[in-house]
Amino acid sequence: GAGVSQTPSNKVTEKGKYVELRCDPISGHTALYWYRQSLGQGPEFLIYFQGTGAADDSGLPNDRFFAVRPEGSVSTLKIQRTERGDSAVYLCASSPGRGGTQYFGPGTRLLVL
Amino acid sequence: GESVGLHLPTLSVQEGDNSIINCAYSNSASDYFIWYKQESGKGPQFIIDIRSNMDKRQGQRVTVLLNKTVKHLSLQIAATQPGDSAVYFCAEIDPFGNEKLTFGTGTRLTIIP
């Protein structure tokens, strides 16, 4: 597609379970970002990839969160031992490269019961 | 640390009138700002950006003004339409070379028919 896509659009899981959220960036975009948005708040930065490597993971809240981008395109955000406080919209964005405009996907709405 | 904030959480404007959404930032080193529009259930949509070497930039029906002296920027939307109803965020790129965006809490704009 023309824009950033994210799957699933909604995910309901139980406390303690493992989840994976997928992001397909705009074709040709080398930079990819994950953000988390809680209700009524602005998005908060989690991690930034330039190519295959995580250039900045300072926003990941703890070691239950991990993200990969093995081939420099699709990225997966992984959350282990989910907690109710992880419930939020997880947004992915991509840009043509360093300093480029970040274009967002529709997000994955995660609900941890 | 740097922060980005908005003066008003909500704004109601009559259809056809102009609207102004304000944003303040605290870090004088900030040099790149972006306005995003977020409709319910969707990801943030890029509207317009401005760098610190400019004080005004215009797009289609939108104008962003940057006042570096008082660390303030605004988004002006001309001749508002019902489709302009959304939450508007200002965001800044980390001025220290990282690629992360820092968002404010947003202003909800409602267009009254």
Short mmCIF file of all heavy atoms in Angstrom, two decimals, chain A residues 17-64:
data_model
loop_
_atom_site.label_atom_id
_atom_site.label_comp_id
_atom_site.label_asym_id
_atom_site.label_seq_id
_atom_site.Cartn_x
_atom_site.Cartn_y
_atom_site.Cartn_z
N LYS A 17 0.38 -12.66 29.08
CA LYS A 17 0.60 -13.23 27.76
C LYS A 17 1.64 -12.43 26.96
O LYS A 17 1.98 -11.29 27.28
CB LYS A 17 -0.71 -13.27 26.97
CG LYS A 17 -1.80 -14.12 27.60
CD LYS A 17 -1.45 -15.59 27.56
CE LYS A 17 -2.63 -16.43 28.03
NZ LYS A 17 -2.32 -17.88 28.03
N TYR A 18 2.08 -13.05 25.87
CA TYR A 18 3.06 -12.44 24.96
C TYR A 18 2.32 -11.96 23.71
O TYR A 18 1.44 -12.64 23.21
CB TYR A 18 4.09 -13.51 24.61
CG TYR A 18 5.01 -13.18 23.46
CD1 TYR A 18 6.15 -12.40 23.65
CD2 TYR A 18 4.77 -13.68 22.19
CE1 TYR A 18 7.01 -12.12 22.62
CE2 TYR A 18 5.62 -13.40 21.13
CZ TYR A 18 6.75 -12.63 21.36
OH TYR A 18 7.60 -12.35 20.32
N VAL A 19 2.69 -10.76 23.22
CA VAL A 19 2.07 -10.25 22.00
C VAL A 19 3.13 -9.73 21.04
O VAL A 19 4.21 -9.28 21.46
CB VAL A 19 1.04 -9.12 22.29
CG1 VAL A 19 -0.11 -9.64 23.12
CG2 VAL A 19 1.70 -7.92 22.94
N GLU A 20 2.78 -9.79 19.77
CA GLU A 20 3.62 -9.22 18.72
C GLU A 20 2.78 -8.29 17.87
O GLU A 20 1.67 -8.64 17.46
CB GLU A 20 4.20 -10.33 17.82
CG GLU A 20 5.24 -11.18 18.47
CD GLU A 20 5.94 -12.11 17.48
OE1 GLU A 20 5.48 -12.20 16.32
OE2 GLU A 20 6.94 -12.74 17.87
N LEU A 21 3.32 -7.12 17.61
CA LEU A 21 2.65 -6.11 16.79
C LEU A 21 3.55 -5.85 15.58
O LEU A 21 4.76 -5.66 15.73
CB LEU A 21 2.44 -4.82 17.58
CG LEU A 21 1.84 -4.98 18.98
CD1 LEU A 21 1.72 -3.61 19.66
CD2 LEU A 21 0.51 -5.67 18.94
N ARG A 22 2.92 -5.79 14.42
CA ARG A 22 3.70 -5.70 13.18
C ARG A 22 3.52 -4.35 12.52
O ARG A 22 2.41 -3.78 12.54
CB ARG A 22 3.27 -6.80 12.23
CG ARG A 22 3.91 -6.78 10.84
CD ARG A 22 3.29 -7.82 9.93
NE ARG A 22 3.69 -7.62 8.54
CZ ARG A 22 4.53 -8.42 7.90
NH1 ARG A 22 5.08 -9.47 8.51
NH2 ARG A 22 4.85 -8.18 6.62
N CYS A 23 4.58 -3.88 11.89
CA CYS A 23 4.55 -2.62 11.15
C CYS A 23 5.19 -2.80 9.78
O CYS A 23 6.33 -3.29 9.68
CB CYS A 23 5.29 -1.53 11.92
SG CYS A 23 5.48 0.02 10.99
N ASP A 24 4.46 -2.40 8.73
CA ASP A 24 5.01 -2.36 7.38
C ASP A 24 5.19 -0.90 6.98
O ASP A 24 4.20 -0.19 6.77
CB ASP A 24 4.04 -3.04 6.39
CG ASP A 24 4.12 -4.53 6.44
OD1 ASP A 24 3.39 -5.13 7.26
OD2 ASP A 24 4.91 -5.09 5.68
N PRO A 25 6.43 -0.45 6.85
CA PRO A 25 6.65 0.97 6.54
C PRO A 25 6.38 1.27 5.07
O PRO A 25 6.16 0.37 4.26
CB PRO A 25 8.13 1.14 6.86
CG PRO A 25 8.74 -0.19 6.54
CD PRO A 25 7.69 -1.20 6.96
N ILE A 26 6.40 2.54 4.76
CA ILE A 26 6.30 2.96 3.36
C ILE A 26 7.53 2.44 2.61
O ILE A 26 8.66 2.52 3.12
CB ILE A 26 6.21 4.50 3.27
CG1 ILE A 26 4.90 4.97 3.90
CG2 ILE A 26 6.34 4.99 1.84
CD1 ILE A 26 4.77 6.47 4.07
N SER A 27 7.28 1.90 1.42
CA SER A 27 8.36 1.31 0.64
C SER A 27 9.49 2.31 0.42
O SER A 27 9.25 3.45 0.03
CB SER A 27 7.80 0.84 -0.71
OG SER A 27 8.84 0.30 -1.51
N GLY A 28 10.71 1.86 0.71
CA GLY A 28 11.87 2.71 0.50
C GLY A 28 12.28 3.54 1.70
O GLY A 28 13.37 4.13 1.71
N HIS A 29 11.42 3.60 2.72
CA HIS A 29 11.77 4.37 3.92
C HIS A 29 12.75 3.58 4.77
O HIS A 29 12.51 2.44 5.13
CB HIS A 29 10.50 4.68 4.73
CG HIS A 29 9.72 5.82 4.19
ND1 HIS A 29 8.72 6.44 4.91
CD2 HIS A 29 9.81 6.49 3.01
CE1 HIS A 29 8.23 7.44 4.19
NE2 HIS A 29 8.86 7.48 3.03
N THR A 30 13.86 4.22 5.08
CA THR A 30 14.91 3.52 5.83
C THR A 30 14.73 3.67 7.35
O THR A 30 15.25 2.87 8.11
CB THR A 30 16.29 4.05 5.44
OG1 THR A 30 16.36 5.46 5.74
CG2 THR A 30 16.56 3.83 3.96
N ALA A 31 14.02 4.71 7.76
CA ALA A 31 13.84 4.95 9.19
C ALA A 31 12.46 4.49 9.64
O ALA A 31 11.46 4.70 8.93
CB ALA A 31 14.03 6.42 9.51
N LEU A 32 12.40 3.87 10.81
CA LEU A 32 11.13 3.36 11.34
C LEU A 32 11.08 3.65 12.84
O LEU A 32 12.10 3.51 13.54
CB LEU A 32 11.00 1.85 11.07
CG LEU A 32 9.69 1.18 11.48
CD1 LEU A 32 9.34 0.09 10.48
CD2 LEU A 32 9.71 0.66 12.88
N TYR A 33 9.92 4.04 13.31
CA TYR A 33 9.75 4.46 14.69
C TYR A 33 8.53 3.77 15.29
O TYR A 33 7.52 3.57 14.61
CB TYR A 33 9.51 5.97 14.77
CG TYR A 33 10.43 6.80 13.90
CD1 TYR A 33 10.19 6.92 12.53
CD2 TYR A 33 11.53 7.47 14.44
CE1 TYR A 33 11.03 7.67 11.72
CE2 TYR A 33 12.37 8.23 13.64
CZ TYR A 33 12.11 8.32 12.29
OH TYR A 33 12.95 9.07 11.49
N TRP A 34 8.62 3.48 16.58
CA TRP A 34 7.47 3.02 17.35
C TRP A 34 7.17 4.05 18.44
O TRP A 34 8.08 4.56 19.11
CB TRP A 34 7.75 1.68 18.01
CG TRP A 34 7.72 0.50 17.09
CD1 TRP A 34 8.78 -0.13 16.50
CD2 TRP A 34 6.57 -0.23 16.68
NE1 TRP A 34 8.34 -1.20 15.75
CE2 TRP A 34 6.99 -1.28 15.84
CE3 TRP A 34 5.19 -0.11 16.93
CZ2 TRP A 34 6.11 -2.20 15.25
CZ3 TRP A 34 4.32 -1.01 16.37
CH2 TRP A 34 4.78 -2.04 15.53
N TYR A 35 5.88 4.33 18.59
CA TYR A 35 5.39 5.21 19.65
C TYR A 35 4.23 4.51 20.35
O TYR A 35 3.60 3.61 19.80
CB TYR A 35 4.87 6.54 19.06
CG TYR A 35 5.93 7.43 18.45
CD1 TYR A 35 6.38 7.22 17.15
CD2 TYR A 35 6.47 8.48 19.17
CE1 TYR A 35 7.35 8.04 16.58
CE2 TYR A 35 7.44 9.32 18.61
CZ TYR A 35 7.87 9.08 17.31
OH TYR A 35 8.84 9.89 16.76
N ARG A 36 3.93 4.97 21.55
CA ARG A 36 2.79 4.47 22.30
C ARG A 36 1.93 5.66 22.71
O ARG A 36 2.45 6.69 23.17
CB ARG A 36 3.27 3.70 23.54
CG ARG A 36 2.15 3.15 24.39
CD ARG A 36 2.67 2.17 25.42
NE ARG A 36 3.43 2.80 26.49
CZ ARG A 36 3.86 2.13 27.56
NH1 ARG A 36 3.60 0.83 27.69
NH2 ARG A 36 4.56 2.75 28.49
N GLN A 37 0.62 5.50 22.54
CA GLN A 37 -0.30 6.59 22.85
C GLN A 37 -1.36 6.10 23.82
O GLN A 37 -2.16 5.23 23.49
CB GLN A 37 -0.94 7.13 21.58
CG GLN A 37 -1.80 8.37 21.81
CD GLN A 37 -2.30 8.98 20.52
OE1 GLN A 37 -2.46 8.30 19.50
NE2 GLN A 37 -2.59 10.28 20.53
N SER A 38 -1.38 6.70 24.99
CA SER A 38 -2.42 6.41 25.97
C SER A 38 -3.59 7.34 25.74
O SER A 38 -3.45 8.41 25.12
CB SER A 38 -1.87 6.57 27.39
OG SER A 38 -0.79 5.70 27.62
N LEU A 39 -4.73 6.97 26.25
CA LEU A 39 -5.96 7.73 26.02
C LEU A 39 -5.81 9.17 26.49
O LEU A 39 -5.40 9.43 27.61
CB LEU A 39 -7.12 7.04 26.75
CG LEU A 39 -8.52 7.53 26.39
CD1 LEU A 39 -8.82 7.26 24.93
CD2 LEU A 39 -9.56 6.88 27.29
N GLY A 40 -6.10 10.10 25.58
CA GLY A 40 -6.06 11.52 25.93
C GLY A 40 -4.68 12.13 25.96
O GLY A 40 -4.52 13.29 26.37
N GLN A 41 -3.69 11.38 25.52
CA GLN A 41 -2.31 11.87 25.53
C GLN A 41 -1.73 11.89 24.12
O GLN A 41 -2.27 11.28 23.20
CB GLN A 41 -1.44 10.96 26.41
CG GLN A 41 -1.91 10.84 27.84
CD GLN A 41 -1.80 12.15 28.60
OE1 GLN A 41 -0.82 12.89 28.46
NE2 GLN A 41 -2.83 12.46 29.37
N GLY A 42 -0.61 12.59 23.97
CA GLY A 42 0.12 12.53 22.72
C GLY A 42 0.96 11.27 22.66
O GLY A 42 1.23 10.64 23.68
N PRO A 43 1.36 10.88 21.47
CA PRO A 43 2.24 9.70 21.34
C PRO A 43 3.55 9.90 22.08
O PRO A 43 4.09 11.01 22.12
CB PRO A 43 2.46 9.60 19.83
CG PRO A 43 1.29 10.31 19.21
CD PRO A 43 0.97 11.41 20.15
N GLU A 44 4.06 8.79 22.62
CA GLU A 44 5.36 8.81 23.32
C GLU A 44 6.32 7.87 22.61
O GLU A 44 5.97 6.73 22.31
CB GLU A 44 5.19 8.40 24.78
CG GLU A 44 4.38 9.38 25.60
CD GLU A 44 4.24 8.92 27.05
OE1 GLU A 44 4.07 7.70 27.27
OE2 GLU A 44 4.31 9.78 27.94
N PHE A 45 7.51 8.36 22.38
CA PHE A 45 8.53 7.62 21.65
C PHE A 45 8.94 6.35 22.39
O PHE A 45 9.12 6.35 23.62
CB PHE A 45 9.75 8.52 21.46
CG PHE A 45 10.96 7.83 20.91
CD1 PHE A 45 11.08 7.60 19.55
CD2 PHE A 45 11.98 7.42 21.75
CE1 PHE A 45 12.21 6.98 19.04
CE2 PHE A 45 13.11 6.80 21.25
CZ PHE A 45 13.22 6.58 19.89
N LEU A 46 9.10 5.27 21.62
CA LEU A 46 9.61 4.02 22.17
C LEU A 46 10.99 3.69 21.61
O LEU A 46 11.96 3.52 22.34
CB LEU A 46 8.65 2.87 21.87
CG LEU A 46 7.26 2.93 22.51
CD1 LEU A 46 6.41 1.76 22.04
CD2 LEU A 46 7.37 2.93 24.03
N ILE A 47 11.09 3.58 20.26
CA ILE A 47 12.32 3.11 19.65
C ILE A 47 12.39 3.59 18.20
O ILE A 47 11.36 3.80 17.57
CB ILE A 47 12.40 1.57 19.72
CG1 ILE A 47 13.76 1.03 19.23
CG2 ILE A 47 11.25 0.92 18.95
CD1 ILE A 47 13.97 -0.46 19.53
N TYR A 48 13.62 3.76 17.71
CA TYR A 48 13.87 4.24 16.35
C TYR A 48 14.90 3.33 15.69
O TYR A 48 15.94 3.03 16.26
CB TYR A 48 14.37 5.68 16.45
CG TYR A 48 15.26 6.18 15.33
CD1 TYR A 48 14.85 6.12 14.01
CD2 TYR A 48 16.50 6.75 15.61
CE1 TYR A 48 15.66 6.62 12.99
CE2 TYR A 48 17.32 7.24 14.60
CZ TYR A 48 16.90 7.17 13.29
OH TYR A 48 17.70 7.66 12.29
N PHE A 49 14.55 2.88 14.47
CA PHE A 49 15.45 2.06 13.67
C PHE A 49 15.95 2.87 12.48
O PHE A 49 15.18 3.55 11.80
CB PHE A 49 14.73 0.83 13.12
CG PHE A 49 14.44 -0.23 14.13
CD1 PHE A 49 13.25 -0.22 14.84
CD2 PHE A 49 15.34 -1.26 14.36
CE1 PHE A 49 12.97 -1.21 15.77
CE2 PHE A 49 15.06 -2.25 15.29
CZ PHE A 49 13.88 -2.22 16.00
N GLN A 50 17.22 2.76 12.20
CA GLN A 50 17.77 3.24 10.94
C GLN A 50 18.30 1.98 10.24
O GLN A 50 19.32 1.42 10.66
CB GLN A 50 18.87 4.28 11.16
CG GLN A 50 19.42 4.84 9.87
CD GLN A 50 18.37 5.50 8.99
OE1 GLN A 50 17.57 6.30 9.46
NE2 GLN A 50 18.37 5.16 7.72
N GLY A 51 17.60 1.55 9.21
CA GLY A 51 17.95 0.28 8.60
C GLY A 51 17.55 -0.86 9.52
O GLY A 51 16.45 -0.89 10.05
N THR A 52 18.46 -1.79 9.74
CA THR A 52 18.16 -2.95 10.57
C THR A 52 18.46 -2.72 12.05
O THR A 52 17.99 -3.48 12.90
CB THR A 52 18.99 -4.16 10.10
OG1 THR A 52 20.38 -3.84 10.21
CG2 THR A 52 18.67 -4.52 8.65
N GLY A 53 19.22 -1.70 12.35
CA GLY A 53 19.66 -1.50 13.72
C GLY A 53 18.83 -0.51 14.50
O GLY A 53 18.35 0.48 13.94
N ALA A 54 18.68 -0.77 15.80
CA ALA A 54 17.98 0.16 16.67
C ALA A 54 18.94 1.30 17.03
O ALA A 54 19.88 1.11 17.79
CB ALA A 54 17.49 -0.55 17.92
N ALA A 55 18.69 2.47 16.48
CA ALA A 55 19.56 3.62 16.72
C ALA A 55 19.29 4.28 18.06
O ALA A 55 20.17 4.92 18.63
CB ALA A 55 19.41 4.63 15.60
N ASP A 56 18.08 4.14 18.55
CA ASP A 56 17.71 4.75 19.83
C ASP A 56 16.55 3.95 20.41
O ASP A 56 15.47 3.95 19.85
CB ASP A 56 17.31 6.21 19.63
CG ASP A 56 16.96 6.93 20.94
OD1 ASP A 56 16.93 6.29 22.00
OD2 ASP A 56 16.71 8.15 20.89
N ASP A 57 16.79 3.26 21.52
CA ASP A 57 15.72 2.51 22.17
C ASP A 57 15.45 3.08 23.56
O ASP A 57 14.93 2.36 24.43
CB ASP A 57 16.04 1.02 22.24
CG ASP A 57 17.27 0.73 23.10
OD1 ASP A 57 17.89 1.68 23.60
OD2 ASP A 57 17.60 -0.46 23.26
N SER A 58 15.76 4.33 23.75
CA SER A 58 15.66 4.93 25.08
C SER A 58 14.24 5.05 25.60
O SER A 58 14.03 5.24 26.79
CB SER A 58 16.32 6.32 25.06
OG SER A 58 15.63 7.18 24.17
N GLY A 59 13.24 4.92 24.71
CA GLY A 59 11.86 5.05 25.14
C GLY A 59 11.21 3.75 25.57
O GLY A 59 10.09 3.77 26.11
N LEU A 60 11.85 2.63 25.36
CA LEU A 60 11.27 1.36 25.79
C LEU A 60 11.16 1.38 27.32
O LEU A 60 12.15 1.61 28.01
CB LEU A 60 12.13 0.19 25.33
CG LEU A 60 12.21 -0.02 23.81
CD1 LEU A 60 13.14 -1.18 23.49
CD2 LEU A 60 10.83 -0.26 23.21
N PRO A 61 9.97 1.12 27.86
CA PRO A 61 9.76 1.30 29.31
C PRO A 61 10.51 0.31 30.18
O PRO A 61 10.89 0.65 31.31
CB PRO A 61 8.25 1.16 29.47
CG PRO A 61 7.77 0.48 28.24
CD PRO A 61 8.71 0.78 27.15
N ASN A 62 10.70 -0.90 29.71
CA ASN A 62 11.42 -1.92 30.50
C ASN A 62 11.80 -3.07 29.57
O ASN A 62 11.53 -3.03 28.37
CB ASN A 62 10.54 -2.40 31.66
CG ASN A 62 9.16 -2.82 31.20
OD1 ASN A 62 9.02 -3.73 30.38
ND2 ASN A 62 8.13 -2.15 31.70
N ASP A 63 12.44 -4.08 30.17
CA ASP A 63 12.95 -5.17 29.33
C ASP A 63 11.88 -6.14 28.86
O ASP A 63 12.19 -7.14 28.20
CB ASP A 63 14.09 -5.91 30.04
CG ASP A 63 13.64 -6.55 31.35
OD1 ASP A 63 12.43 -6.52 31.64
OD2 ASP A 63 14.50 -7.08 32.07
N ARG A 64 10.62 -5.88 29.18
CA ARG A 64 9.56 -6.70 28.60
C ARG A 64 9.28 -6.30 27.16
O ARG A 64 8.63 -7.05 26.44
CB ARG A 64 8.28 -6.56 29.43
CG ARG A 64 8.38 -7.10 30.85
CD ARG A 64 7.02 -7.09 31.55
NE ARG A 64 6.47 -5.74 31.70
CZ ARG A 64 5.48 -5.26 30.98
NH1 ARG A 64 4.91 -5.99 30.04
NH2 ARG A 64 5.04 -4.03 31.19
#
